[in-house]
Each structure stands twice: as structure tokens, then as C-alpha cells.
Amino acid sequence: MSESVVGKGIDRLDAILKVTGKAEYPAETGVANIAHAAVVTSTITRGRIAALDTRAAERAPGVLAVVSHLNAPKLPGIDKRASPVDPALQLFQNDKVVYNEQPVALVVADSLERARHAASLVVPRYESASFTVDMNAEAPRAYAPPNSRFPLDSQRGDVRSGLSAAKVRIAQSYTTPIEHHNPMEPHAAIVIWQGTDHATVYVTTQGIFFVRQRFASLFGIPKENVRVISHYIGGGFGCKGVPWVYAPLAGLAAKVAGRGVKLVITRQQMFSMVGYRSRTVQKVALGADSSGKLTAISHDVLSATSRVDEFTEPAALQTRMLYACPNTSTSHRLVRLDIPTPTFTRAPGEAVGTFALESAMDELAYALQMDPIALRLRNYAETDPDKNLPWSSKSLRECYRRGAEKFGWPARRPPPRSMRDGRWLVGLGMATATYPANQSDASAIARVRADGTALVQAGSQDIGTGTYTIMTQIAADALALPIEKVRFELGDTTFPETPNSGGSRTASSVGSAVKMAALAVRKKLAEVAVADSKSPLHGLEVEGLDVADGALYAKSNRARRDSFGDIVARSGAAEIAVQVDNKEKEDRKRYSTHSFGAQFVEVKVDESLGTVRVSRFVGAFAAGKILNAKTAQSQYQGGIVWGIGLALHESTHRDERLGRIVTRDLADYHVPVHADIPHIDVVMVDETDPYVNEIGSKGIGEIGITGVGAAIANAVYHATGRRIRDLPITPDKLL
Ligand code: MOS
């Protein structure tokens, strides 16, 4: 019997390829005679391009084409909206400028260096119009976006009477800045046209099928005419979740230049041409009786979008379900500014929403003189109070208990400024983590070949999380094959269709499809064997068979066995294959599906400098079945690292007079470095969930970042007695 590999912390199957540089990222794809593109971006924030002098650029060495609104082909699908999160597609269809550093022209040349040099020779002349990029100034014009993809408001009971009945009340405003994702790999695409209406697109994306559909609709061709390939991705985190302009821009350039074009946007352009997390202003009010029982919660969120599209940061969603409270209201509003459109950013909503809610809970705990964990347990939601459904599983109590134990929470002396380590003030803080356990319809095909090996394929994409590895593990177990005999392929729209890798859904959606396809091909092999007069299993019932070590055998007599390879070989076909189009599990309608966790942190604050060091971190999580203990730990730790960045470092600054972002690279935009990160302990709480999906896994790409901002702010308060409600907590705010 081959040993089960699901859950084992095996190394990534693509690890050697990646560290030796053999894993080919989209922009590295070897394509003969490829041309290179460089984008010219606007230096005004709003207005129009009055003139564009491209003569010097066109004369520059190696230049093949200069593309702009003056000569770009008209895109038949430019006005078709396929998604509520349609990125602002500035594809040279008119002379308008709607945000600073918007693409206004593109140069194609025979080398990257020549393209970039020629791009610097393009001279636009603009007519500037007045603009506003100031969220506070526009706040009076906040509105409820009519096409929101989630319900903007919620009401349960009566918050006003809940607050007036409260013994203790907290009402505060919390703010978070613009954040940029900054994956290591910049956004990139290679487009090669075959004739006028067929294209191959190598692109870094979290959604190959989404790119295919958008690309095809923009160019007015059937989606079947577009093949999108994305084998390796150097991080996504949400900023590669919707199809931004880079693939269609490369497509336009390739059409004009008459050859394949590669476009890699620069690190600086990643701060404007693709999405980011909006600044948020969040008002939270809590009321509780003297025992700590919540009598009211309200959470009102303001975020900003562009003039040309809408994206709402869903920061109050967790507030609807995290605590049992009879009186709850939440709202989301938007202001329009002359800025690029924001987008999904790791745990969109929860990452910054838990900062506000879980900071307020800490403030309430102090006001009640209650332990922060005790306050949360007092308001533990035994069922989902928002959907009024039982949880498919919930192990948050265990997360609090195991996390507190590992961290040594009982050693915390509650009063602020009561703990010291020499000149450092020491603070201990905690917060709850939560993220929805999503599943979408997904397809996969499992193929068993005459050599006894299996090849499993699903469109999908591995954004760096370990998808190749866990899918191979799932398929190996379902086929009872040693993992060496299973190969899993992804990243190609010629494979069965799968959802975007967003919302922590790839493992649960594609993993379920892979499992069902593997089981289906097993059944097909059994059917072929019992019907085959040459098989030792001939004439048996399919139900009477089981599988081990790459062979089917009779349960009643293990000596009667037939190997996968022999079954396929005798069939005369090269392989026996079954595709499964897996639907979201029916049980999910009767349950609320979420993962939960508890974050614990120790900080040391230098009182004279205001510097905050994170000295210890423990995150305890329960997220259903863990598919690979090693990649899971990396996902949790990666989320926590970004949470530390969100709490202490990250912030995008815009010059409000110019409307232009000034922190445009990793020198000015601070992400945590190794020296900022202590050892991070991850506690994985065992959890069995028979309802959430076919593999019982809840998805762990995003929960790790949730709660971290609040846990650190709460620890800083404990250390210093200073409550910082505006992220990031930089030294100036503590002096
Ligand atoms: Mo994730 S922000 O849903 O890609």
C-alpha cells in the first residue's frame, strides 16, 4: 500500500527548478524574433494629450513602432464590461488622461534597452485639468456604489438602543494607508499573433481564463482563439488577480509591430498601472454590558476608487460574523478621486478590517478591565450570526488556547507600561484572525498511461503557494500511486477550466476537482478491467475492487490483481482519461464556511526613538485539512510577515499637489526585511471538516495577514500606553 502523502511537509516539486533558474516565468519564455516594449506614462493627473511628438523616438536605433492614441487600432470590445472590477483600460483609444502615470504611448524596439531609450524621447504636450486626490476633501461626496459585488450594508437588531443600553462604549476612527503588493516578479506579458484573430499570450496572472476572456473580448475575437499560458508566477497577492492593461497593451503593440512583443512593466510602473489597496477610514463603535457581553457593534468603512471604475475595500465583512451580538450594523462607501483603480490585496477587507475591529475590541477590553481573550470568548459566535447558519467547522477556541499556551500569554501583566526589558518597553498583544473558506466550480482531467504513471491537468496557476506540489499529493493519494508516478500540469487554457487564484480558493476548488478526477479515472479503470476477458479481474463487480500500489485488486482475494499499466495497455489506447467538472459542494449551502486563528505578538519599543521591534510572534490557525505542512507553514508565515509590514512599515505616499505617487520603488516603499522579522511560530490546529468541500481544506493564503495589524497595535499600546489608530505605526507617531 503506498503511503498517504496528503498532509506531509514534502518539499515543493518545483523547488529545484526555481532555485536553479530552470523554471521559466512568462517573461522568460524563449520566443524567436521577439520585440520589446516600453511604456510612456503621463506626468499629469487629469486632462488630455494635446500633442505627442514621436519623431525622435521613431528615428532612434532599433525602433519598430511607436503606438499611441494617434495610431492604435480601435479595439472593438473596449466598452464591454465583463466584470464589476474592470481595470481602467488605458489602451490608447482616446486622448484622455485620468490618473498620473497612465500609459500614453508605447515604444516597440528590437531590444529592451533601445525600447526604453526611445520611450524617453517621446514628448507629450498636455492640457491639464483640475483634479483631486484628497480622500478627506471628497468624503462629503461619499456614495454607495450601485454595482457592488457584495452587499454594502448590513443591519441586525438596533445598534442605537444597543449602544445606549451599554455599560461601556468605544467609538473610534481607524485609518490605513494605500499599500502596494510588490510581488518580486513584475507584471509581464508576451503576445504573439497567429494571423489577425488568433493569439498566444504568455502572461503572469492569477487567472489565465480571466485574461483569455478579457483579451478576446477587447480584440473582438472568440475566446477559443486565445491561448493563455502561465507556468510560474513570482507572487500575485491580488495585484495579478484581474487582467490589467499589460497583456492587451502587448497585444496592441504586437499588432502594430507585426511581430511578437514582450512587455515587462517597471517596478515604478507597478505603483500606477496595476491595482493596490485603497486607503481606508473606518469608524467602529462597540457597546458592552459590565460582563463584557457585546450589546452593539457598528463598523462603517470609507475607501477610494478611481473616476473610471469601482473597487470597494470590503473591510467590514468580518464584523458581521466574528462575534455574537444582537445589534450590528455595517456599511461601505466610496469616494471618487483622480487616481488609478484599487484592487484585491491579500485578504481584501479582512487585512485592514480586522485592524479596526480587533483594535476596538482591545480598547473595550481595557475599558472593561478584562483579559482580551476572555472578552472574545465571552462573545464567541457558536453559529454564524450574519448568515444564521451553523459553521461547517470552527476551532477558534482551540486557536486561542493553543496560541496563548505557546506564546506564554499568562505571563502578561495587563497594565500598560508594566513590562520592561532594559531600555525597551515590552508589550504583548493579540487579535483574532479570520477568512472565508471559498470554493468555486473547477475542472480537472486525470490520465493514466500504459507505463502505469498518471498525468493530471487543470488550467489554474501556481502563484507561488505550492499548487503544483499539493495537487500532485492529492492525485497520488486518490490514485494510490507513489508520488513519483504522478505528474500534475497547470497554467494553460488548453487544460480544463478553473477559477482565478484569489480568495484563497485554489487548493479547495482545484484540489477537489483533481481528487474527483483521480477517483473517476480509477473507477473507469475498474470498469475496463472487469469487462476485459483477459483481466484477472474479469467478471467481478466494480464495487468489489480496491486499489493499492498502482493496481486494482479483488477485496475478496488480493491475489487477483491487475495493474493500471496493464489495464491501459490491453485497452489498445495510449491512455485512459476522465475529465471531471466539479461543482461547489452542495453541503456548503447549509453551512457557513470560515477559517479562524489567533495572533499573538510581543513588541519592544524604544521610548526615546519610538522604534518598534517585533520580538516574538505566534499564530495559531485552524483551516480544515492541511495538505502540505511545509507549504502551509510558509503561507501562514508569509501572511504574518506582510501583516508586520502593514502594521509597521508599508505606506504609499502621493504628492497631493501633483497627484503623483512619490514612493515608487522598494527604497521608498518599505517592506519588512529579514532584520524586521523574528522567528514566527505557527501552530496548526487539527480540524476535520466534512462539509466545506471534497478535500476538507479551507485555504490558507490569506488568513495569515488578518489580525496582525491589530495584534501589533494592541501590543504597542500595552508597551507604551499609546493607542495608535493610524497605520503604519512609524516612530514619529510614538514620540
Ligand atoms: Mo487574493 S487578494 O484574493 O488574490
Side-chain angles (χ1 to χ4, degrees):
M1 185 78 201
S2 49
E3 213 186 333
S4 168
V5 285
V6 168
K8 283 229 168 91
I10 62 167
D11 290 349
R12 284 163 193 263
L13 301 176
D14 50 348
I16 301 286
L17 290 177
K18 283 187 171 173
V19 298
T20 56
K22 292 205 178 79
E24 206 172 62
Y25 288 78
E28 298 175 321
T29 310
V31 176
N33 199 32
I34 196 79
H36 300 261
V39 181
V40 181
T41 59
S42 72
T43 51
I44 64 161
T45 297
R46 185 166 161 259
R48 60 177 286 271
I49 308 160
L52 196 66
D53 185 348
T54 59
R55 285 168 300 179
E58 276 157 6
R59 279 196 308 267
V63 170
L64 302 166
V66 179
V67 190
S68 71
H69 70 285
L70 300 173
N71 64 346
K74 289 295 163 229
L75 293 173
I78 195 73
D79 294 324
K80 288 197 192 108
R81 291 287 173 108
S83 140
V85 195
D86 198 302
L89 288 162
Q90 273 67 64
L91 290 168
F92 312 147
Q93 301 297 296
N94 56 44
D95 62 3
K96 287 202 187 79
V97 174
V98 298
Y99 65 83
N100 209 309
E101 292 193 87
Q102 170 195 312
V104 294
L106 175 148
V107 177
V108 186
D110 58 7
S111 79
L112 175 63
E113 293 74 15
R114 286 172 148 184
R116 287 182 79 165
H117 171 66
S120 75
L121 303 176
V122 173
V123 186
R125 192 166 59 73
Y126 297 105
E127 273 168 22
S128 258
S130 66
F131 62 85
T132 176
V133 294
D134 179 348
M135 195 167 147
N136 294 340
E138 286 301 300
R141 280 169 287 284
Y143 73 105
N147 300 316
S148 176
R149 72 202 145 77
F150 62 92
L152 294 169
D153 296 0
S154 75
Q155 289 293 340
R156 189 162 76 235
D158 177 8
V159 165
R160 195 188 289 258
S161 61
L163 280 174
S164 61
K167 192 88 182 155
V168 176
R169 278 176 286 271
I170 297 291
Q172 291 294 352
S173 182
Y174 303 86
T175 51
T176 63
I178 294 173
E179 289 158 13
H180 277 83
H181 311 69
N182 279 300
M184 280 173 67
E185 178 203 29
H187 302 69
I190 293 175
V191 176
I192 303 141
W193 288 97
Q194 291 92 29
T196 56
D197 62 352
H198 282 72
T200 306
V201 181
Y202 298 90
V203 61
T204 180
T205 178
Q206 292 171 239
I208 55 174
F209 293 97
F210 199 0
V211 168
R212 180 180 69 160
Q213 172 253 312
R214 177 62 52 79
F215 189 94
S217 79
L218 279 171
F219 286 94
I221 57 179
K223 65 179 199 272
E224 293 70 28
N225 291 11
V226 180
R227 181 177 179 191
V228 178
I229 298 170
S230 198
H231 288 140
Y232 296 96
I233 297 155
F237 312 112
C239 70
K240 296 171 182 168
V242 297
W244 299 99
V245 289
Y246 50 102
L249 272 182
L252 272 181
K255 269 206 186 286
V256 175
R259 57 196 259 203
V261 166
K262 164 155 53 175
L263 171 61
V264 181
I265 76 171
T266 64
R267 180 64 55 180
Q268 288 81 1
Q269 288 169 345
M270 289 168 74
F271 284 83
S272 62
M273 276 173 58
V274 296
Y276 56 93
R277 195 193 311 269
S278 171
R279 184 171 132 77
T280 69
V281 177
Q282 306 179 53
K283 292 192 163 55
V284 177
L286 301 178
D289 67 17
S290 53
S291 77
K293 190 96 197 71
L294 286 164
T295 58
I297 309 178
S298 73
H299 190 166
D300 300 297
V301 180
L302 184 65
S303 64
T305 192
S306 68
R307 298 269 179 221
V308 292
D309 206 346
E310 279 173 352
F311 180 87
T312 308
E313 183 74 19
L317 297 188
Q318 78 284 315
T319 304
R320 298 174 184 173
M321 48 60 71
L322 197 49
Y323 298 110
C325 176
N327 307 302
T328 305
S329 85
T330 64
S331 73
H332 299 83
R333 295 293 179 269
L334 273 182
V335 296
R336 286 211 187 266
L337 299 175
D338 298 294
I339 57 175
T341 310
T343 194
F344 305 96
T345 309
R346 202 172 197 170
E350 289 82 0
V352 288
T354 52
F355 164 64
L357 176 64
E358 291 292 289
S359 290
M361 284 294 280
D362 199 66
E363 300 199 46
L364 183 64
Y366 274 100
L368 288 158
Q369 295 194 304
M370 245 181 119
D371 177 82
I373 301 177
L375 174 65
R376 286 164 173 86
L377 290 173
R378 181 90 183 93
N379 296 287
Y380 198 83
E382 302 290 354
T383 56
D384 182 334
D386 182 43
K387 298 202 180 91
N388 220 349
L389 288 172
W391 306 108
S392 62
S393 60
K394 179 177 181 178
S395 313
L396 178 55
R397 261 197 200 91
E398 195 67 0
C399 294
Y400 290 138
R401 194 180 67 72
R402 296 270 308 278
E405 190 178 278
K406 181 91 184 164
F407 183 74
W409 183 256
R412 173 180 181 264
R413 291 212 303 274
R417 306 179 66 86
S418 63
M419 296 176 75
R420 262 191 183 274
D421 173 12
R423 69 191 174 93
W424 299 92
L425 293 164
V426 175
L428 277 54
M430 62 80 56
T432 310
T434 186
Y435 196 75
N438 296 312
Q439 184 190 15
S440 303
D441 297 350
S443 301
I445 187 165
R447 311 167 184 276
V448 174
R449 279 98 58 104
D451 63 0
T453 64
L455 172 65
V456 181
Q457 295 164 321
S460 203
Q461 40 281 315
D462 186 336
I463 61 175
T465 50
T467 307
Y468 278 110
T469 309
I470 59 168
M471 295 306 156
T472 312
Q473 290 174 277
I474 291 167
D477 270 15
L479 287 163
L481 275 175
I483 195 162
E484 302 74 31
K485 293 209 167 174
V486 180
R487 183 176 162 77
F488 176 76
E489 293 179 342
L490 56 66
D492 192 326
T493 52
T494 60
F495 296 160
E497 191 154 348
T498 53
N500 255 43
S501 288
S504 300
R505 80 186 67 233
T506 297
S508 46
S509 309
V510 182
S512 293
V514 163
K515 178 180 175 178
M516 299 319 278
L519 293 178
V521 81
R522 225 171 96 166
K523 180 151 180 266
K524 180 78 179 288
L525 288 165
E527 287 163 0
V528 170
V530 299
D532 179 358
S533 60
K534 296 201 186 69
S535 169
L537 304 174
H538 180 68
L540 292 171
E541 297 290 325
V542 166
E543 293 71 33
L545 304 183
D546 208 344
V547 65
D549 298 324
L552 288 156
Y553 65 88
K555 287 187 216 166
S556 57
N557 175 8
R558 287 195 70 134
R560 281 182 78 178
R561 67 190 294 280
D562 197 359
S563 75
F564 292 174
D566 288 346
I567 298 170
V568 177
R570 284 195 314 269
S571 77
E575 62 175 28
I576 290 177
V578 182
Q579 173 167 333
V580 166
D581 302 317
N582 195 52
K583 300 285 172 227
E584 194 182 341
K585 199 165 171 12
E586 273 294 306
D587 286 340
R588 292 172 56 85
K589 297 196 180 101
R590 294 180 287 118
Y591 295 92
S592 176
T593 57
H594 280 261
S595 48
F596 293 93
Q599 312 275 23
F600 294 86
V601 62
E602 177 190 82
V603 299
K604 296 190 174 175
V605 183
D606 185 314
E607 220 179 341
S608 43
L609 296 175
T611 44
V612 179
R613 308 292 306 170
V614 175
S615 45
R616 291 195 296 127
F617 206 106
V618 175
F621 307 95
K625 175 80 183 162
I626 294 302
L627 301 167
N628 179 317
K630 192 170 188 175
T631 55
Q633 168 160 315
S634 296
Q635 284 298 295
Y636 286 134
Q637 286 180 332
I640 290 166
V641 169
W642 198 350
I644 292 171
L646 171 144
L648 299 177
H649 309 122
E650 294 186 48
S651 181
T652 298
H653 294 272
R654 183 177 268 118
D655 183 325
E656 305 239 320
R657 296 159 306 169
L658 300 174
R660 193 170 172 89
I661 287 168
V662 292
T663 47
R664 305 193 311 145
D665 56 35
L666 296 173
D668 290 329
Y669 183 92
H670 295 169
V671 297
V673 298
H674 278 92
D676 295 310
I677 304 299
H679 175 72
I680 295 171
D681 270 316
V682 171
V683 177
M684 293 187 232
V685 172
D686 281 339
E687 186 176 66
T688 303
D689 191 326
Y691 309 116
V692 67
N693 54 54
E694 290 77 357
I695 55 171
S697 160
K698 286 180 173 176
I700 52 178
E702 292 169 274
I703 187 173
I705 192 174
T706 72
V708 179
I712 292 176
N714 298 344
V716 167
Y717 177 77
H718 180 233
T720 63
R722 301 279 299 279
R723 178 65 65 179
I724 308 299
R725 302 185 185 91
D726 176 44
L727 293 184
I729 305 172
T730 43
D732 53 298
K733 294 175 188 169
L734 285 170
L735 287 175

